[in-house]
Amino acid sequence: MRLQKPPLRGKKTSASFSFFLRCIIFFLPLVSCSRSAGGRAVPPHTFVALGTVCSVNLYEDGTEALYRRITERLQQIEGAFSVNLPSSEISAVNRMAGIAPVPVSAEVLAVLEAALAVAEKSGGAFNPAVGPLVALWGVGTETPAVPDADAIQALLPLVDYRKIQRDGAAVFLTEAGMQLDFGGIAKGYAADEAVRVAVDAGVRRALVDLGGNIYVYGKKADGTAWRVGVKNPENAGADLALQVELASGTVVTSGRYERFFEQDGIRYHHIIDPATGYPAERGVLSATVVGQSSLLADALSTAAFVLGKEKGLALLQNEYPDMDALILTADHTAAGTPRIRQTATLLRNAYGWE
Ligand code: AMP
Ligand code: MG
């Protein structure tokens, strides 16, 4: 995964102020500070990890020590999963592609298993073996460029999740040149873990925002539902397209505005269709998934984006009935799984329900 940018192959970690602003998801129930048990105000923490701007708010149960524990946990996950850190477990597996299996930690194995399950169910639309194509396009790096068609074709056989072998606690990429990339799932896993650390410590409510990968946990003080904003993909820096109400859970969006470059007036974004080797173009501007597992929501939002509206929504309804999805399309419609109409509200008339 591209955790830290440059460390991660994902969003630029340029800490420019405008970027920072663009990273902030608009939460309607804003709370400016938290209060520790002793009564001392501990403000929410914002920091860069996993290649993106992360915000954690533990409200009245937040202490400096707990914020530190969560920050360190996120850094640890980045250290294990980032393809941009040579010391990561994923980099070690990638270096030994075609050579030998590499023992990995239980958590890397568990996330890989989860990624492979989504790969299987999505027909490879979500594909943790997409690394060679991500590297070839270089979206989010200093030098992105449209590759030669031949170069793309040559890599397609390497982008095959079925060629990832597991042998006990070891992972083997069976062909030289294969590369894992967990950029489409690691932030979701990290959000789940941040919440787990908070809950284990007795935190009653928490808001975790890992660059737009949102988890809201527990009951708000005033008893109302959380409301999470989803960006307008056509004006992501300044505008929300909708808000989702939920009691407790995760909201994850994959969008073509997140990382991209333009060449000859055409936009090339960071979500690759592993079947073609090109950025997925099935008329989706963004795909949002709502549920309890941020890991799954992260993988599924990427999968739904690649699959397009019909197949993406069918994947959710048939295989993940506990979760919901909402897809914004280029013709300005919003389409979703049946329950989402009760919880999502379109804002500003930019999009209309299908
Ligand atoms: P997300 O923003 O969660 O949709 O994830 C996009 C990131 O996941 C990209 O920056 C790549 O690192 C990686 N990625 C791109 N295409 C795919 C794909 N089809 N399946 C899995 N991961 C992908
Ligand atoms: Mg994702």
Side-chain angles (χ1 to χ4, degrees):
M1 101 192 190
R2 62 265 165 174
L3 300 187
Q4 198 143 354
K5 227 72 223 251
L8 279 217
R9 200 181 265 154
K11 279 157 197 169
K12 288 207 173 189
T13 47
S14 130
S16 77
F17 189 59
S18 69
F19 176 75
F20 180 79
L21 281 182
R22 279 188 284 124
C23 280
I24 294 186
I25 291 283
F26 182 71
F27 283 89
L28 297 159
L30 277 179
V31 174
S32 60
C33 66
S34 309
R35 203 158 277 281
S36 70
R40 196 166 55 85
V42 177
H45 282 208
T46 297
F47 50 93
V48 173
L50 299 152
T52 193
V53 178
C54 303
S55 301
V56 176
N57 194 340
L58 305 174
Y59 298 94
E60 54 273 75
D61 295 322
T63 62
E64 287 298 346
L66 190 47
Y67 279 113
R68 198 174 325 115
R69 211 185 303 163
I70 290 172
T71 307
E72 285 170 3
R73 180 73 184 108
L74 297 179
Q75 287 164 345
Q76 184 189 10
I77 291 171
E78 175 172 3
F81 288 91
S82 173
V83 293
N84 297 41
L85 297 175
S87 57
S88 77
E89 294 187 53
I90 299 304
S91 294
V93 171
N94 288 347
R95 264 195 305 276
M96 294 304 275
I99 302 171
V102 176
V104 296
S105 62
E107 79 171 342
V108 165
L109 206 56
V111 175
L112 175 61
E113 294 296 346
L116 290 172
V118 176
E120 198 64 49
K121 288 188 169 164
S122 68
F126 178 85
N127 186 336
V130 74
L133 289 170
V134 173
L136 181 68
W137 281 89
V139 181
T141 68
E142 298 295 311
T143 51
V146 179
D148 287 342
D150 290 351
I152 292 174
Q153 291 305 316
L155 291 184
L156 291 182
L158 296 176
V159 180
D160 184 348
Y161 66 90
R162 294 182 199 83
K163 294 178 179 170
I164 303 169
Q165 279 183 5
R166 284 95 72 219
D167 179 10
V171 178
F172 183 33
L173 306 181
T174 53
E175 286 188 29
M178 286 180 69
Q179 281 182 51
L180 296 177
D181 183 318
F182 283 9
I185 194 171
K187 278 192 291 169
Y189 173 63
D192 288 337
E193 282 298 293
V195 171
R196 191 186 57 75
V197 171
V199 172
D200 285 354
V203 165
R204 286 164 289 177
R205 47 186 149 267
L207 185 164
V208 172
D209 175 359
L210 308 184
N213 202 303
I214 312 292
Y215 208 115
V216 287
Y217 169 81
K219 272 214 160 33
K220 279 169 54 203
D222 63 4
T224 60
W226 299 90
R227 282 180 282 169
V228 176
V230 173
K231 291 175 183 175
N232 177 357
E234 294 182 316
N235 188 15
D239 202 12
L240 295 178
L242 60 113
Q243 70 186 29
V244 178
E245 261 190 42
L246 71 171
S248 191
T250 190
V251 180
V252 181
T253 300
S254 288
R256 51 182 281 123
Y257 54 85
E258 288 180 56
R259 291 189 181 86
F260 62 86
F261 68 98
E262 277 170 17
Q263 192 170 315
D264 300 327
I266 299 174
R267 177 184 292 201
Y268 299 93
H269 61 76
H270 70 308
I271 303 172
I272 309 288
D273 183 344
T276 65
Y278 285 79
E281 288 299 349
R282 291 212 175 81
V284 177
L285 297 180
S286 74
T288 297
V289 175
V290 181
Q292 296 303 306
S293 161
S294 204
L295 175 146
L296 272 183
D298 193 1
L300 290 171
S301 64
T302 307
F305 188 102
V306 171
L307 287 170
K309 184 178 69 180
E310 279 85 14
K311 287 186 179 167
L313 294 178
L315 170 67
L316 267 291
Q317 272 183 261
N318 298 334
E319 302 287 349
Y320 302 91
D322 294 342
M323 306 181 78
D324 284 302
L326 189 152
I327 291 179
L328 297 177
T329 62
D331 58 5
H332 292 97
T333 61
T337 47
R339 267 188 316 245
I340 201 82
R341 290 288 284 267
Q342 287 141 42
T343 53
T345 307
L346 300 178
L347 305 171
R348 293 190 228 294
N349 297 325
Y351 300 84
W353 287 111
E354 190 178 46

